[in-house]
Every structure is written in C-alpha cells, then in structure tokens.
C-alpha cells in the first residue's frame, strides 16, 4: 500500500466553524432546532374496511409541497417526522375541532 492510501482524507469544509453561530459547527443540528410545522390528524377507511390515521402537512417549509405521514399509535400533541424532501420537522398536530 502507498502512503496516500493509508492516510485518511478530510473534506475541506467539513470542520469549518461558523462565526455567526457562536463558534458552533454548522453541521450540528439538535432535535430542538427542528422547524415546527402545523399538521392535521386525519382518519380514513381503506378498501379492506380498516380504519387508518395519517398526519397531513399542508405545506413543507423546504419544498412547499404537501406531505402525508403515518400517524403514531398513541394520541400525541406533536411528532417528529422526516419529509420525502429530506427535511426533518416537528409536526404540531391540531384536531379537526381546532381547525374548524
């Protein structure tokens, strides 16, 4: 093996610090920093006569498209979901009574 194959390669901008973020790395994102998106909990009946629940997000903050997600089994106020466009957001659920 050559010396180049043994040394690990480091990307140029991987460890740059952002001065505006107070010296924190720009690649670090905590769960608390996930954007909050209003969502709706819908119930529907499938062709097999089973009831299902889904979380509907009307507009994604990244791509602007609506997204559908599976609903959690327990009734919760908010749920952390990963959108098809790659954005991870916190869906704050509103019931149909609050939406009307």
């Amino acid at each position: 093996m050559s010396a180049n194959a043994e040394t690990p390669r480091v990307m140029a901008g991987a460890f740059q610090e952002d001065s505006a973020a107070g010296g924190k790395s720009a690649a670090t994102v905590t769960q608390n920093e996930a954007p909050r998106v209003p969502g709706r909990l819908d119930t529907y009946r499938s062709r097999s006569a089973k009831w299902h629940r889904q979380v509907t997000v009307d507009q994604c903050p990244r791509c602007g498209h609506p997204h559908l997600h599976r609903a959690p089994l327990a009734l919760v106020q908010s749920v952390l979901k990963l959108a098809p466009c790659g954005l991870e957001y916190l869906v704050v659920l509103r019931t149909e009574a609050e939406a009307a």
Side-chain angles (χ1 to χ4, degrees):
M1 270 186 150
S2 66
N4 288 339
E6 294 175 3
T7 57
R9 294 181 183 223
V10 178
M11 295 184 345
F15 298 106
Q16 290 180 345
E17 292 184 352
D18 187 11
S19 61
K24 294 182 182 177
S25 174
T28 353
V29 177
T30 61
Q31 184 174 350
N32 296 337
E33 294 177 7
R36 294 177 171 264
V37 177
R40 186 176 63 246
L41 185 63
D42 295 328
T43 307
Y44 66 96
R45 195 169 190 170
S46 64
R47 284 189 259 163
S48 62
K50 291 183 181 178
W51 287 96
H52 302 277
R53 292 185 299 151
Q54 67 186 9
V55 174
T56 305
V57 174
D58 292 328
Q59 187 176 11
C60 175
R62 176 180 282 174
C63 65
H65 295 291
H67 295 306
L68 298 176
H69 301 283
R70 291 183 178 161
L73 293 176
L75 290 174
V76 293
Q77 297 289 327
S78 60
V79 61
L80 189 65
K81 291 290 184 180
L82 180 65
C85 63
L87 178 68
E88 189 174 29
Y89 48 69
L90 185 69
V91 181
V92 180
L93 299 174
R94 58 182 190 264
T95 61
E96 292 180 15
E98 292 175 2

